[in-house]
């Protein structure tokens, strides 16, 4: 009997190579190294590893994290500016809860991480997409939109975006726009919620500086997670924010009641980090995911030359534009027929119509040879829908 359906989120479909899920390749999850770190953490901290933890998270983890993040993204993050969460999703839910009242406007990038939308909507916020172009959020036009909303009597409290190796596009916001956005936040009082989930997974060059590192304190709340660099099942993430915001988090009723929200895991991660195991692990998964990215890119260039996409320098996703007049909705059943699946672009837009001609392909979950086969199948599916005589 197969018990996996009751254990993990992903459900495989027989015969389908699924590029829809942003999940890790199972063999890259560090089961042995994590098990060793767990034993060390219990040896080192004894009973303290298993009791209620400090509200913001255990100090050894917070100190390791602040130092690690600042070692390549110079933000001078102080321990009092870190709050440990159950992953970036939890960080987003908490930030939305603290920053907004029901009925407030929350601005979002377009396209943006599709599962952020229901998380923000849980707070009964009114989600409005900001103007964008092929480089990402357009700060000048976003300022105009903000002005229009405020003039119309709306409260605009928050802007959510994934500016570094974003989901779904894989692209990063240019430096100048980062500066303009943090200035806009400072001037207007909007808080930018920067989802920095993919920062560690950089394949070409360096990751750009975070908005958190560029902004005055009080304008950016940054979300992080070990979901992509270590393992999503750990449900371990963090918020970095000005110390006053962290104090509001530690004062939440359920934190007061239960202590730090992921104490034992965070202590284990501190050991995993301080031992050097994390650095080695990340270096190795970067190489593997880069090879997976290249296999999918190479396969698509060969098998689907009329798809338009750029090379993501990090993260897990490739964002592709279909040749006109093809839509993702019409391609999806044909692709399934050829044994390959993706996420339709419409999911990543507040107004789904804007995404009709896009698809998101995750290269995270399958090894290079399988990704090459998936690319072949996608190419065949696209070819099967081309108007007759198109290739003559
Ligand atoms: C942009 C973005 N934010 C958050 C998450 C979820 O992170 P976590 O598993 O830490 O909640 C994902 C995962 O797909 C993501 O792509």
């Amino acid at each position: 009997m197969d018990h996996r359906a009751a254990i993990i989120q992903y459900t495989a479909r027989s015969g389908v190579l699924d590029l829809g899920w942003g999940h890790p390749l199972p063999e890259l999850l560090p089961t042995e190294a994590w098990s060793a770190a767990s034993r060390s953490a219990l040896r080192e901290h004894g009973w303290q590893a298993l009791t209620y933890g400090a509200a913001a998270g255990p100090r050894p983890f917070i100190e390791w994290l602040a130092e690690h993040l600042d070692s390549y993204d110079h933000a001078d993050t102080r321990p009092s500016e870190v709050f440990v969460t159950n992953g970036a999703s939890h960080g987003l839910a908490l930030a939305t809860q603290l920053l907004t009242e029901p009925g407030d406007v929350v601005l979002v990038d377009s396209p943006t991480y599709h599962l952020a939308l229901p998380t923000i909507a849980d707070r009964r916020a009114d989600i409005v997409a900001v103007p964008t172009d092929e480089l990402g959020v357009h700060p000048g036009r976003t300022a105009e939109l903000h002005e229009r909303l405020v003039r119309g009597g709306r409260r605009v409290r928050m802007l959510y975006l994934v500016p570094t190796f974003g989901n779904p596009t894989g692209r990063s916001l240019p430096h100048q726009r980062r500066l303009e956005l943090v200035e806009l936040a400072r001037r207007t009082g909007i808080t930018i919620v920067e989802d920095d989930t993919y920062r560690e997974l950089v394949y070409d060059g360096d990751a750009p500086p975070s908005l958190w590192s560029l902004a005055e304190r009080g304008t950016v709340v940054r979300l992080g997670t070990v979901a992509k660099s270590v393992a999503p099942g750990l449900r371990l993430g963090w918020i970095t924010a000005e110390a006053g915001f962290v104090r509001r988090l530690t004062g939440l009723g359920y934190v007061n009641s239960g202590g730090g929200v992921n104490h034992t895991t965070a202590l284990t991660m501190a050991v995993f980090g301080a031992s050097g195991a994390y650095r080695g692990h990340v270096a190795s998964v970067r190489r593997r995911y880069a090879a997976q990215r290249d296999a999918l890119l190479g396969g698509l260039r060969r098998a689907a030359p009329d798809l338009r996409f750029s090379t993501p320098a990090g993260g897990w996703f490739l964002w592709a534009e279909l040749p006109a007049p093809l839509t993702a909705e019409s391609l999806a059943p044909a692709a399934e027929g050829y044994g390959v699946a993706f996420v339709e672009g419409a999911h990543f837009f507040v107004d789904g119509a804007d995404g009709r001609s896009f698809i998101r392909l995750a290269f995270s979950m399958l090894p290079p040879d399988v990704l090459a086969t998936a690319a072949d199948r996608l190419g065949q599916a696209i070819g099967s829908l081309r108007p007759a005589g198109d290739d003559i």
Side-chain angles (χ1 to χ4, degrees):
M1 187 172 154
D2 184 357
H3 292 282
R4 273 175 309 170
I7 295 178
I8 67 171
Q9 189 183 42
Y10 167 70
T11 41
R13 280 171 299 153
S14 149
V16 176
L17 300 179
D18 203 335
L19 306 181
W21 292 76
H23 284 201
L25 182 70
E27 70 193 55
L28 296 187
L29 295 170
T31 45
E32 288 307 318
W34 189 261
S35 157
S38 298
R39 285 193 302 276
S40 300
L42 285 168
R43 249 196 326 269
E44 191 175 326
H45 298 288
W47 64 270
Q48 294 198 355
L50 294 176
T51 192
Y52 288 109
R59 191 73 180 199
F61 173 67
I62 287 179
E63 283 181 356
W64 171 78
L65 180 73
E67 198 180 310
H68 170 71
L69 294 174
D70 281 1
S71 68
Y72 61 90
D73 180 49
H74 309 293
D76 194 20
T77 308
R78 287 183 290 279
S80 58
E81 295 174 321
V82 179
F83 180 84
V84 172
T85 68
N86 292 127
S89 311
H90 181 220
L92 175 60
L94 287 174
T96 311
Q97 180 188 340
L98 261 59
L99 292 170
T100 69
E101 296 293 332
D104 285 351
V105 171
V106 170
L107 301 173
V108 297
D109 197 354
S110 185
T112 195
Y113 173 45
H114 57 325
L115 301 178
L117 301 175
T119 307
I120 295 167
D122 281 348
R123 180 67 176 161
R124 289 191 280 131
D126 193 2
I127 302 174
V128 175
V130 299
T132 56
D133 59 19
E134 66 291 346
L135 297 178
V137 175
H138 193 291
R141 288 168 50 208
T142 299
E144 287 164 18
L145 170 67
H146 173 259
E147 251 176 64
R148 272 200 308 280
L149 287 163
V150 171
R151 245 187 283 123
R154 306 304 308 275
R155 259 174 32 129
V156 187
R157 303 309 302 274
M158 170 176 152
L159 163 61
Y160 168 80
L161 77 165
V162 193
T164 303
F165 315 135
N167 181 358
T169 64
R171 76 188 163 206
S172 295
L173 194 68
H175 192 77
Q176 182 57 30
R177 291 200 178 184
R178 289 174 187 251
L179 296 176
E180 289 171 25
L181 270 191
V182 298
E183 171 53 21
L184 175 69
R186 193 194 59 76
R187 194 161 50 74
T188 57
I190 295 175
T191 300
I192 296 176
V193 176
E194 174 183 28
D195 185 335
D196 215 10
T197 284
Y198 293 96
R199 167 163 301 277
E200 303 271 284
L201 296 183
V202 52
Y203 312 132
D204 307 324
D206 294 325
S210 63
L211 302 181
W212 163 250
S213 76
L214 297 172
E216 265 178 33
R217 289 299 195 262
T219 49
V220 174
V221 169
R222 185 253 305 262
L223 314 177
T225 178
V226 302
K228 313 299 173 173
S229 58
V230 186
L234 300 175
R235 305 310 305 138
L236 178 64
W238 55 88
I239 287 174
T240 62
E242 56 136 344
F245 192 83
V246 169
R247 277 196 299 277
R248 287 179 66 200
L249 289 163
T250 56
L252 288 171
Y254 78 95
V255 178
N256 200 19
S257 165
V261 300
N262 202 355
H263 176 65
T264 307
T265 305
L267 263 185
T268 307
M269 185 63 209
V271 170
F272 192 63
S275 70
Y278 177 72
R279 223 167 248 285
H281 174 72
V282 169
S284 137
V285 297
R286 274 188 192 139
R287 281 194 298 276
R288 298 285 298 272
Y289 287 130
Q292 289 172 210
R293 173 199 65 175
D294 293 343
L296 183 60
L297 283 168
L300 290 175
R301 284 194 192 108
R302 261 192 323 275
D306 42 5
L307 267 186
R308 284 187 51 211
F309 49 82
S310 52
T311 301
W316 275 0
F317 305 106
L318 205 144
W319 181 242
E321 185 171 7
L322 301 171
L326 199 56
T327 64
E329 197 181 4
S330 60
L331 179 60
E336 292 266 347
Y338 281 90
V340 65
F342 50 78
V343 184
E344 295 175 29
H347 293 287
F348 303 94
F349 291 83
V350 176
D351 178 355
D354 293 338
R356 228 178 298 174
S357 59
F358 290 91
I359 57 176
R360 189 198 74 176
L361 306 171
F363 51 81
S364 52
M365 200 177 64
L366 300 170
D369 56 331
V370 180
L371 287 166
T373 305
D376 281 343
R377 292 182 182 182
L378 193 61
Q380 286 166 356
I382 293 172
S384 75
L385 296 176
R386 213 179 272 129
D390 211 32
D391 52 354
I392 299 174

